[in-house]
Amino acid sequence: MTTSDTYDLIVIGAGAMGLAAAYEAAKAGSTVALFEADNVPGGMAAHFDFDGLSLERYYHFICKTDYDSFELFKELDIFDKLKWRETKMGYYYQGALYEWGNPFALLGFPKLNLIEKIRYGLLAFWCTRRRSWDKVEPLTAPEWLKAWLGENGYNKLWNRLFYLKFYDYTDKISATWIGTRIRRIGLSRKSLLQEELGYLEGGTETLVSALVSKIKTLGGHVSLGAPATEIVTDGAYVSGVKIGSKFVKSKNVISTVPTPFISKLVPSLPTELKSNYDAIPNIGVACLIFKLKKSVTENFWLNTIDESLAVPGIIEFSRLRPLKDGHIVYVPYYMPTDNDRWTWTDDDLLDEAFGAITAANPSINKEDILATQVSRLKYAQPICYPNFLDMLPPIQTPFQGLQIADTCYYYPEDRGISESIGLGRRMAKNALLRND
Ligand SMILES: Cc1cc2nc3c(=O)[nH]c(=O)nc-3n(C[C@H](O)[C@H](O)[C@H](O)COP(=O)(O)OP(=O)(O)OC[C@H]3O[C@@H](n4cnc5c(N)ncnc54)[C@H](O)[C@@H]3O)c2cc1C
């Protein structure tokens, strides 16, 4: 904080969205203050020290359609850090590993019959070509996938994956939301036969550090360990933000914190609007990280749809981002936070997940574990229902100058760094228009 505690714009949350918003405003010459509750910037893209290696708490890959990221990388002069790597995807099913992700793998996949394979191929193709999802929008993902693949095809490939991530929400998630995920991966290819995904040299830290440093160079203020405790309004306008006992003034506030926090953070919101924010469901994630002496499989992403395993996937991150020593493997346990497993200790989760790793590669044993880590996030993934946009309050709240959004606001796209960057910048531009 400097001489003046009045800013053109206050941004709450220093994840990709908040950082991008603050950068956009600082670049345009506005005075900006960014407040982050955590002691490090980055939100879901933050790094930590993992056994001497700077690593993201949650794995990230970049797709060829992440245009908002690419534009920002160029502006920040880090575009040369963007690297592409040929990656493989596989399935672990009934005790065996199967290749996935190209037409030959699909044809050779023994668990689907020929008709199901053709239907799957058509679905993947259709998703990459689709311009409008209007007809799909009222459907749930299981309804839509069953229509494409048949009941059996759906049950063999998708049911277990959905269940292990969404549990009781499985039958409620939006078809469009799943369709755009299939499209995003489907379009990130080197060729029809080869998937290609991107990463930043140095990990997401490279982006986060570049943004923080640019915001500061442009005169912006970044305060860490500084949770916003209240967004204050005055009549029809926002007037500032309380950070504990301190009041910081601004006629423009952008909140990028998860929407479940909003009804408490903005006490002056109308009751009905508070209930709308509270009604947006979220699931949590306990994301396990193993550093191993051995690689698990040749896949970056291994879907585990075996009934005996309680994890939906094993992500061998070092198959994407090359790391100097050890093999880095993430195992995400997504779940509603009223699920029993949410209360399990880190050690219990690590034990169970290690069972999945050894099932996929029986030559790995406990002596191969070099380090472990568990990162937890209560609001990790909004659950998007069909016609999801109808349930979202507008980004521009009834209070002039106050914009509120989080990762569910770029529906039908799933959470993504690129999408958060794009939305953060758009919100900052809207705020700047008000200042003109
Ligand atoms: C397991 C996992 C895997 C993922 N994989 C990918 C991937 O492969 N590719 C990809 O592009 N994206 C991926 N994502 C999504 C991506 O990380 C997010 O979309 C993006 O980082 C969200 O940024 P954000 O700023 O919108 O939200 P967040 O990162 O959630 O930022 C919100 C910030 O607000 C802060 N905050 C909360 N309350 C307060 C308060 N009261 N005051 C101040 N600050 C507060 C939080 O600490 C946080 O830093 C993944 C996410 C997870 C969890």
Side-chain angles (χ1 to χ4, degrees):
M1 229 57 27
T2 52
T3 45
S4 148
D5 276 348
T6 302
Y7 293 87
D8 293 334
L9 174 67
I10 294 174
V11 178
I12 307 175
M17 195 186 295
L19 286 166
Y23 160 70
E24 186 67 37
K27 193 178 74 165
S30 301
T31 55
V32 189
L34 172 60
F35 295 101
E36 166 57 49
D38 206 340
N39 292 324
V40 289
M44 295 188 206
H47 269 223
F48 72 104
D49 183 309
F50 185 47
D51 197 33
L53 171 73
S54 175
L55 194 70
E56 44 226 81
R57 288 174 186 158
Y58 308 101
Y59 51 89
H60 289 88
F61 59 85
I62 294 170
C63 286
K64 305 239 168 182
T65 49
D66 289 356
Y67 305 117
D68 285 315
S69 284
F70 305 151
E71 194 184 322
L72 184 61
F73 295 169
K74 283 179 194 154
E75 287 180 34
L76 297 173
D77 229 3
I78 56 168
F79 193 71
D80 60 328
K81 306 282 183 205
L82 171 62
K83 306 290 171 196
W84 295 99
R85 192 152 178 210
E86 294 180 5
T87 45
K88 289 188 176 164
M89 193 191 286
Y91 267 96
Y92 177 80
Y93 183 47
Q94 293 183 350
L97 291 170
Y98 299 98
E99 198 189 340
W100 191 252
N102 69 65
F104 291 122
L106 177 62
L107 283 174
F109 192 67
K111 306 296 172 192
L112 296 177
N113 65 39
L114 185 62
I115 303 285
E116 288 161 352
K117 288 174 188 176
I118 293 170
R119 290 168 99 174
Y120 195 91
L122 288 173
L123 166 69
F125 180 77
W126 185 90
C127 287
T128 57
R129 293 291 180 276
R130 204 72 216 142
R131 290 247 169 92
S132 160
W133 294 81
D134 290 355
K135 287 197 178 137
V136 178
E137 188 52 44
L139 303 176
T140 66
E143 281 170 346
W144 176 63
L145 288 169
K146 281 176 195 171
W148 270 98
L149 307 173
E151 188 88 24
N152 260 342
Y154 169 79
N155 284 337
K156 283 181 210 160
L157 281 185
W158 287 92
N159 191 37
R160 185 82 184 145
L161 287 181
F162 279 176
Y163 178 72
L164 285 179
K165 182 161 181 179
F166 302 111
Y167 291 85
D168 288 349
Y169 291 115
T170 298
D171 288 328
K172 296 182 181 153
I173 52 176
S174 143
T176 309
W177 184 77
I178 288 293
T180 52
R181 291 183 67 158
I182 299 175
R183 183 184 58 187
R184 180 171 183 251
I185 296 290
L187 290 175
S188 203
R189 307 193 71 82
K190 189 175 184 183
S191 68
L192 185 64
L193 298 181
Q194 184 58 57
E195 174 186 279
E196 195 175 49
L197 298 175
Y199 66 95
L200 278 174
E201 244 174 38
T204 46
E205 173 80 0
T206 301
L207 170 64
V208 171
S209 299
L211 274 167
V212 170
S213 123
K214 196 75 179 179
I215 293 165
K216 288 182 177 169
T217 309
L218 292 166
H221 294 269
V222 180
S223 303
L224 303 175
T229 42
E230 185 181 334
I231 297 177
V232 183
T233 58
D234 182 6
Y237 299 86
V238 68
S239 57
V241 176
K242 281 189 192 165
I243 312 292
S245 58
K246 193 176 173 96
F247 180 56
V248 187
K249 288 190 214 156
S250 180
K251 287 183 180 159
N252 282 296
V253 174
I254 291 177
S255 170
T256 68
V257 310
T259 41
F261 292 129
I262 292 302
S263 54
K264 285 213 176 69
L265 193 59
V266 198
S268 56
L269 277 174
T271 313
E272 195 189 331
L273 208 50
K274 283 185 188 168
S275 333
N276 292 344
Y277 287 112
D278 291 341
I280 302 168
N282 261 263
I283 53 173
V285 72
C287 192
L288 281 47
I289 315 180
F290 294 86
K291 184 177 180 187
L292 300 172
K293 286 184 197 162
K294 289 182 191 151
S295 162
V296 183
T297 70
E298 59 178 7
N299 298 294
F300 163 58
W301 198 288
L302 184 68
N303 291 309
T304 48
I305 50 171
D306 198 291
E307 290 290 333
S308 66
L309 304 181
V311 298
I314 296 173
I315 295 131
E316 193 161 339
F317 191 61
S318 38
R319 289 276 175 200
L320 173 67
R321 184 180 146 211
L323 297 164
K324 278 199 187 97
D325 66 322
H327 301 268
I328 300 293
V329 174
Y330 288 74
V331 180
Y333 274 92
Y334 281 98
M335 63 187 109
T337 50
D338 58 2
N339 187 294
D340 275 354
R341 273 197 180 76
W342 190 251
T343 60
W344 283 21
T345 63
D346 289 355
D347 284 345
D348 286 345
L349 289 174
L350 285 162
D351 271 353
E352 187 182 64
F354 190 65
I357 289 174
T358 54
N361 183 344
S363 82
I364 294 181
N365 58 52
K366 289 236 155 147
E367 279 77 65
D368 294 317
I369 302 178
L370 295 169
T372 57
Q373 161 80 18
V374 178
S375 305
R376 290 177 191 251
L377 197 58
K378 189 171 176 197
Y379 304 118
Q381 169 84 73
I383 299 290
C384 303
Y385 297 153
N387 296 315
F388 184 66
L389 290 179
D390 294 347
M391 74 183 286
L392 285 186
I395 291 178
Q396 175 55 59
T397 65
F399 301 110
Q400 278 200 44
L402 175 58
Q403 297 181 75
I404 292 177
D406 72 357
T407 58
C408 68
Y409 273 81
Y410 35 76
Y411 177 89
E413 298 299 334
D414 186 20
R415 298 154 318 160
I417 288 185
S418 186
E419 286 73 16
S420 278
I421 288 171
L423 182 52
R425 294 182 80 166
R426 287 196 295 282
M427 287 198 289
K429 281 179 186 152
N430 286 342
L432 298 176
L433 283 178
R434 266 179 42 82
N435 277 345
D436 282 348

